[in-house]
């Protein structure tokens, strides 16, 4: 008896918690036309008449219940698969009704006539028009409330307000007079703009700016160029998807040329999908605008990176920004996943068409990259950063740090370098007082080619406690005669396009060599040696130290 | 006579049509995968879109440069083959390319390009070419007479010397520099500088016009120097002029696009098979065919193993060589200009 009582209580409590939201129905809610609307039960078929609503519904996890959206509802991607009911100001009433919705969400003054029509046809319509950032945050709750998604709505509201707070902390306190004056272009011919009754004015305020027409109590109105000039805006913000084209169109019109902001090219184009929707992405919008107004406080890190060097690719993975890597060379084979990335080049030759069509924010080139290609990319206003071949371990680290800075992962880069440095120091300490064997490092067979002091590979030998017999040479060409004369203690063959075993046999014929007598010929895989990241440097160093001082290093 | 002119005009129209067709084809294909149906719209829409940028900033310059370089090299080939009456002569036999390559090598090794900028490559290539031209020219001139066979031998030798010097430079230079040199020697139509492209076109076209003034001299020269002299040709003057024109065309091409082999050798032979050996038509036809051929080869080089690119010389060699051997086996003709 007791047991079943506990079971029952448990069941009921969990059921209550589970359906808690369902129990809040029936409920009454006021919409922005001042009407009190009664909801008898939780809506199951919702039609959204605005992209903002669609975004909110999906953010609240109600995507399943959305049965109809407008032609403009493109976010999130799933929304595009929903039934279309027409445009924002041209919704098709019949197809809405055919969907048998139990809730229709309308938005903005332009839709007020439809609200009445739909209502007359017996539909339940909830109309909203947020006028500020706070209204937007409240809107999440209001929609959550009438759709039975209260918990999610609260969470969404908290998340977005947290993001906004974060952005405002970055901007810091700004006196009203110091706020950059923003002019928002809402139409070119005739010129349209927004006043204090548009939420965008508040968005600009939250981004640390001020709308030059913030004192006009309207949402949208027309204005002439002289009135704009009177206020002399610091920046012009316009919305569009193809920023270059939109900018050009604006610049092409004569009257705009009188504006100081246009003359100074202080025009910013932001996606209409972001700036015109008081939805869950409002924090993103605020951050974008804040980054225009305060560029030094918002470093914009590249989102689309193309790497033209195998080691750069490897380093990007080390830094954990592999998702931003959109293209690399054929030879980027480390780590394994890099093989799946789009191939845009060999180490030296770049397919410019491919690079451009991928629209990278930044291209990372090496000193092997064809300079003509680099020049062309720069001419096309693509940012190219050069990473010359490192000449030493410290240069490897410097470049890694540079890469960290570029990708916004400076801290991670510094950490990885620190670990690598410590490991290197450890090995160097171990071999410090040991006898230094003489080493010949072979990287090419015909003709015989070795490593000189100006390559980071020389550091391997030095740090591992050896002496490179070719360190002071200018060029890597080396004759066998010289090797016999120098008689190194150890021979290391790197399989860089040469057959290691075959080379080993050839050396084996020279029985006078110390290295041959003591069987001190070793073969190392070139992949380990030749793509120098701080991490792989340590790994290769460990291997070489092991060859040079097998007893003292050990595994 | 009347018949001949009509036939020639038809040839020029046909070749011009082919050139245009290949150019349009080249504009339409590439690794970016822009659908052909959109290309027209993209161009009409104008600046700003990525597609437009690929078409106009990447593909178009290559097509124009391919036209200029292909035309110039073929023209130089016709001039030299006609003048030397030797079927194996091509623009690069004379050591001009070697000189240009040497100039660029020196530039790379001494890092002149870092101070003088990207423009310094073609400049140093051209300087090298011009120096070699003067060297060959003055070595082959004896008592005011240009010895044609001597000219050829000196050219071949200078070519060997400069390639050895290049190897010497490569042997003693740093790895990264070697890459730069190898690159340049492979040849490519990728040229970021519009001014250079325009210059190449101007030089190629004015080369065509200048050499056309000498088409009768060339016809006479192909009978033999002595015969030409008897026909009343001022052979010294025309030899000098033709040699310098061909050299400048080659030097200019090499300095902009690197060494692209086979075009100057094969195209003139190929064209001669079809239009005959009269230089009045041969010059124009070779120029047009060379341009079309190089554009086609470059298009293939861009697309065959896309997204990677082959050096265009690979395609000119394989395609040109095999096409030529095939055509030769089908059409029994005498090579070169030994007989009229």
């Amino acid at each position: 008896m007791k047991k079943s009582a506990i079971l029952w209580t448990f069941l009921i409590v969990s059921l209550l918690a589970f359906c808690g939201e369902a129990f809040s129905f029936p409920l009454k809610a006021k919409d922005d036309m001042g009407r009190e609307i009664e909801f008898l039960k939780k809506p199951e078929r919702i039609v959204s008449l605005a992209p903002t609503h669609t975004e909110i519904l999906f953010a609240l996890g109600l995507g399943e219940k959305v049965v109809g959206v407008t032609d403009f509802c493109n976010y999130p991607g799933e929304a595009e698969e929903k039934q279309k009911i027409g445009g924002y100001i041209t919704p098709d009433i019949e197809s809405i009704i055919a969907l048998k919705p139990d809730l229709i969400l309308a938005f903005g003054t332009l839709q007020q006539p439809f609200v009445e029509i739909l209502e007359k046809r017996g539909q339940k319509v909830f109309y909203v028009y947020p006028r500020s950032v706070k209204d937007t945050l409240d809107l999440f709750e209001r929609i959550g409330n009438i759709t039975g998604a209260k918990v999610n709505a609260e969470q969404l509201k908290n998340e977005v307000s947290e993001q906004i707070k974060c952005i405002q902390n970055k901007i810091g306190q700004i006196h009203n007079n110091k706020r950059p004056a923003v002019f928002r272009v809402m139409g070119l011919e005739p010129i349209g703009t927004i006043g204090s009754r548009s939420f965008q004015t508040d968005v600009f305020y939250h981004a640390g700016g001020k709308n030059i027409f913030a004192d006009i109590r309207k949402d949208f109105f027309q204005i002439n160029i002289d009135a704009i000039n009177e206020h002399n805006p610091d920046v012009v913000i316009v919305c569009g998807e193809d920023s270059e084209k939109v900018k050009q169109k604006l610049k092409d019109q004569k009257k705009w040329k009188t504006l100081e902001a246009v003359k100074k090219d202080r025009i910013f184009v932001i996606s209409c999908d972001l700036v015109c929707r008081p939805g869950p992405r409002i924090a993103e919008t605020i951050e974008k605008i804040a980054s225009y107004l305060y560029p030094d406080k918002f470093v914009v890190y590249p989102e689309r990176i193309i790497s033209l060097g195998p080691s750069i690719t490897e380093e990007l993975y080390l830094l954990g920004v592999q998702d931003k890597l959109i293209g690399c060379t054929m030879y980027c084979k480390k780590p394994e996943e890099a093989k799946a990335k789009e191939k845009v080049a060999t180490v030296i030759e770049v397919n410019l068409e491919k690079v451009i069509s991928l629209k990278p924010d930044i291209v990372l080139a090496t000193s092997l990259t064809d300079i003509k290609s680099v020049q062309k990319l720069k001419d096309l206003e693509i940012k190219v950063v050069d990473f010359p071949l490192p000449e030493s371990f410290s240069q490897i680290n410097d470049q890694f740090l540079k890469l960290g800075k570029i990708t916004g992962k400076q801290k991670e880069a510094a950490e990885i370098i620190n670990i690598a440095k410590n490991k290197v120091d450890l090995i160097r300490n171990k071999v410090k007082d040991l006898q230094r064997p003489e080493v010949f490092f072979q990287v090419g067979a015909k003709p015989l080619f070795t490593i000189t002091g100006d390559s980071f590979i020389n550091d391997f030998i030095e740090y591992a406690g050896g002496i490179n017999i070719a360190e002071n040479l200018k060029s890597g060409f080396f004759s066998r005669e010289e090797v016999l004369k120098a008689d190194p203690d150890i021979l290391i063959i790197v399989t860089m396009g040469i057959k290691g075993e075959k080379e080993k046999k050839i050396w084996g014929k020279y029985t006078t060599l110390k290295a041959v007598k003591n069987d001190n010929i070793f073969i190392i895989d070139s992949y380990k040696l030749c793509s120098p990241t701080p991490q792989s440097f340590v790994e290769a160093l460990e291997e070489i130290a092991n060859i040079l001082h097998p007893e003292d290093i050990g595994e | 006579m009347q018949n001949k002119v009509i036939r020639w005009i038809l040839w020029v129209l046909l070749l011009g049509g082919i050139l245009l067709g290949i150019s349009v084809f080249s504009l339409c294909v590439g690794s970016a995968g822009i659908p052909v149906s959109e290309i027209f719209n993209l161009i009409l829409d104008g600046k700003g879109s990525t597609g437009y940028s690929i078409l106009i900033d990447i593909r178009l310059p290559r097509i124009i440069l391919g036209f200029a370089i292909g035309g110039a090299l073929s023209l130089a080939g016709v001039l030299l083959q006609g003048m030397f009456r030797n079927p194996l002569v091509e623009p690069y036999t004379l050591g001009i390319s070697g000189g240009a390559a040497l100039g660029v090598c020196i530039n790379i090794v001494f890092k002149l390009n870092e101070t003088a900028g990207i423009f310094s490559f073609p400049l140093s290539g051209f300087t090298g070419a011009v120096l070699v031209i003067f060297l060959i020219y003055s070595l082959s001139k004896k008592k005011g007479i240009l010895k044609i066979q001597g000219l050829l031998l000196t050219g071949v030798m200078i070519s060997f010397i400069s390639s050895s010097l290049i190897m010497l430079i490569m042997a003693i230079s740093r790895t990264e520099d070697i890459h730069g040199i190898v690159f340049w020697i492979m040849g490519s139509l990728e040229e970021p500088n519009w001014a250079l492209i325009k210059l190449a076109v101007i030089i190629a076209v004015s080369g065509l016009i200048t050499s056309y003034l000498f088409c009768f001299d060339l016809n006479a020269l192909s009978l033999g120097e002595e015969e030409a002299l008897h026909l009343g040709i001022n052979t010294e003057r025309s030899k000098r002029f033709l040699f310098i024109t061909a050299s400048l065309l080659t030097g200019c091409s090499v300095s902009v696009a690197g060494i692209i082999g086979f075009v100057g050798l094969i195209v003139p032979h190929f064209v001669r098979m079809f239009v005959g050996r009269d230089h009045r038509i041969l010059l124009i036809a070779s120029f047009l065919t060379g341009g079309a051929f190089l554009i086609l080869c470059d298009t293939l080089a861009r697309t065959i193993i896309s997204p990677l690119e082959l050096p265009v010389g690979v395609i000119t060699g394989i395609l040109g060589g095999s096409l030529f051997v095939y055509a030769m086996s089908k059409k029994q003709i005498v090579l070169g200009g030994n007989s009229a």
Side-chain angles (χ1 to χ4, degrees), chain A residues 330 343 345 348-349 351-354 356-357 359 367-368 370-372 375-376 379-380 391 454 475 477, chain B residues 30-32 50 54 57-59 61 113 118 121 171 174 176 179 183 190-192 256 302 307-309:
Chain A
M330 256 187 96
K343 302 294 173 211
I348 44 178
E349 215 159 343
N351 185 318
L352 290 174
E353 255 184 43
K354 197 93 207 178
I356 291 167
S357 63
K359 298 184 185 165
S367 46
L368 298 185
D370 184 8
I371 50 169
K372 274 187 180 177
Q375 187 60 38
K376 184 103 204 187
D379 288 348
L380 294 171
E391 289 176 9
D454 65 357
S475 151
F477 286 104
Chain B
S31 50
T50 313
I54 286 173
D57 296 328
I58 304 271
R59 290 186 192 166
N113 58 319
I118 188 118
F121 271 132
R174 288 167 44 100
E176 296 128 72
H179 279 281
F183 241 150
E190 185 58 60
E191 173 54 58
V256 177
R302 279 195 290 129
L308 307 179
E309 258 176 51

Side-chain angles (χ1 to χ4, degrees), chain A residues 226-241:
Chain A
D226 298 330
I228 305 166
N229 249 329
E230 222 165 87
H231 286 85
N232 191 22
D234 297 306
V235 296
V236 172
I237 289 180
V238 57
C239 85
E241 303 314 319

Side-chain angles (χ1 to χ4, degrees), chain A residues 28-41:
Chain A
K28 280 185 183 168
K30 227 180 183 176
D31 80 351
D32 287 343
M33 279 165 85
R35 309 164 313 151
E36 190 134 296
I37 297 164
E38 193 173 19
F39 292 87
L40 294 174
K41 60 178 181 51

Side-chain angles (χ1 to χ4, degrees), chain B residues 137 140-148 225 236 239:
Chain B
Y137 186 79
S140 324
K141 219 166 101 175
K142 278 180 190 144
K143 293 176 193 154
I145 297 167
L146 198 58
K147 292 273 181 223
I148 278 210
E225 230 179 302
E236 276 321 302
K239 273 192 297 181

Side-chain angles (χ1 to χ4, degrees), chain B residues 223-293:
Chain B
L223 297 174
E225 230 179 302
E226 215 165 301
E227 284 83 348
L229 201 63
H230 289 311
L231 285 171
I233 303 285
N234 182 350
T235 50
E236 276 321 302
R237 194 192 59 149
S238 23
K239 273 192 297 181
R240 201 164 51 228
F241 220 96
L242 290 170
F243 172 68
I244 290 174
T245 309
S247 302
L248 286 179
L249 282 170
T250 312
C252 164
S253 310
V254 173
S255 49
V256 177
I259 296 176
I260 300 175
F262 276 97
V263 181
L265 177 64
I266 285 169
V267 172
H269 283 311
F270 200 72
V271 174
R272 213 175 277 128
M273 281 184 206
F274 292 99
V275 304
R277 48 192 61 257
D278 192 322
H279 282 88
R280 279 174 288 176
I281 177 68
L282 194 55
L283 289 173
I284 301 180
S286 294
F287 190 87
L288 293 174
T289 313
F293 177 66

